[in-house]
Amino acid sequence: MTSSELWTRATADRYDAEETEMSSAAALGPTLAFLAEMARDGRALEFAIGTGRVGVPLRERGVPVVGIELSEHMAAVLRRKVDEDTLPVTIGDMATTLVPGEFALVYLVYNTITNLLTQAEQVECFRNAARHLTPGGRFVIELGVPPLRFLPPGQVAVPFDVSERHLGFDTFDLVAQILVSHHFTRDGDDGRYRRGHSRHRYAWPAELDLMAQIAGLELEQRFADWDGAPFTQDSAKHISVWRKPAA
């Protein structure tokens, strides 16, 4: 067990409904095209596959997908969509869990490496990806750039969503590199809000490159989004691709 916080049954059951925008064809199209190109004719392994938001449609595109997921409740939601023979999922953490075979692609999307709350565990995640990759295979991560430029002196909170049914903001521990995402979500029309929060360890692109180097991987490409826009100092997130050297 790593330091990742477990997703509960209640959270898993409402996850897809709360992520309808990110699950739309418009949002997922570039992601699936990018990952399919990285996998080519090989197998893909998704770390923290969750309810299958990405893994299930990627499998439908013809890419053989295998998943690792820490939360049995999230995996149970995925299993309602696709059977085990079509998309195998192993319950375990993404830093240490091993699955059989080798993969042309290992991928970790939607900021999920930050669920590992220590630098050591994040390094082990890179090592675990390298263990599963074929020579020449690629590890892809989607991760936001820490929004510390929005923090004026003395402020510790940054809003990331202010909408009719949801208020979200992050608070930061700058010493431990820990952010806490706070959510206030209106479930019904009676004016009541449900409060939730989750902890994450943020990391900079350069720090991830060093983790990759420790794991024997080399940075190949970095983009600002799944469409391949150039990554700049103003980019809010990055899609990074590290390659396992060919033998």
Side-chain angles (χ1 to χ4, degrees), residues 102-170:
E102 291 185 313
F103 298 84
L105 170 68
V106 178
Y107 65 95
L108 180 54
V109 298
Y110 211 18
N111 303 319
T112 311
I113 193 171
T114 65
N115 290 3
L116 298 169
L117 298 179
T118 70
Q119 185 184 69
E121 289 173 354
Q122 291 177 353
V123 169
E124 287 306 311
C125 181
F126 273 82
R127 285 178 167 151
N128 200 31
R131 280 192 288 267
H132 286 93
L133 286 172
T134 60
R138 292 169 172 87
F139 184 33
V140 174
I141 284 182
E142 175 189 22
L143 182 60
V145 176
L148 302 190
R149 294 170 67 184
F150 294 103
L151 283 176
Q155 182 173 311
V156 296
V158 173
F160 60 85
D161 184 33
V162 180
S163 57
E164 182 181 355
R165 306 194 71 88
H166 178 255
L167 301 174
F169 61 92
D170 294 329

Side-chain angles (χ1 to χ4, degrees), residues 138-206:
R138 292 169 172 87
F139 184 33
V140 174
I141 284 182
E142 175 189 22
L143 182 60
V145 176
L148 302 190
R149 294 170 67 184
F150 294 103
L151 283 176
Q155 182 173 311
V156 296
V158 173
F160 60 85
D161 184 33
V162 180
S163 57
E164 182 181 355
R165 306 194 71 88
H166 178 255
L167 301 174
F169 61 92
D170 294 329
T171 55
F172 293 84
D173 180 335
L174 301 182
V175 174
Q177 285 185 216
I178 295 292
L179 70 84
V180 181
S181 287
H182 304 264
H183 301 268
F184 294 85
T185 306
R186 192 168 73 182
D187 285 330
D189 295 324
D190 58 2
R192 291 185 299 176
Y193 281 77
R194 169 173 44 84
R195 180 177 181 177
H197 71 276
S198 58
R199 294 186 301 151
H200 306 269
R201 182 186 185 272
Y202 64 85
W204 301 94

Side-chain angles (χ1 to χ4, degrees), residues 45 68 90 92-101 127-128 131-132:
L45 171 62
I68 293 174
T90 298
D93 70 83
M94 56 189 164
T96 63
T97 301
L98 299 176
V99 298
R127 285 178 167 151
N128 200 31
R131 280 192 288 267
H132 286 93

Side-chain angles (χ1 to χ4, degrees), residues 18-30:
E18 293 182 346
E19 295 295 339
T20 53
E21 181 178 350
M22 292 300 297
S23 301
S24 67
L28 274 181

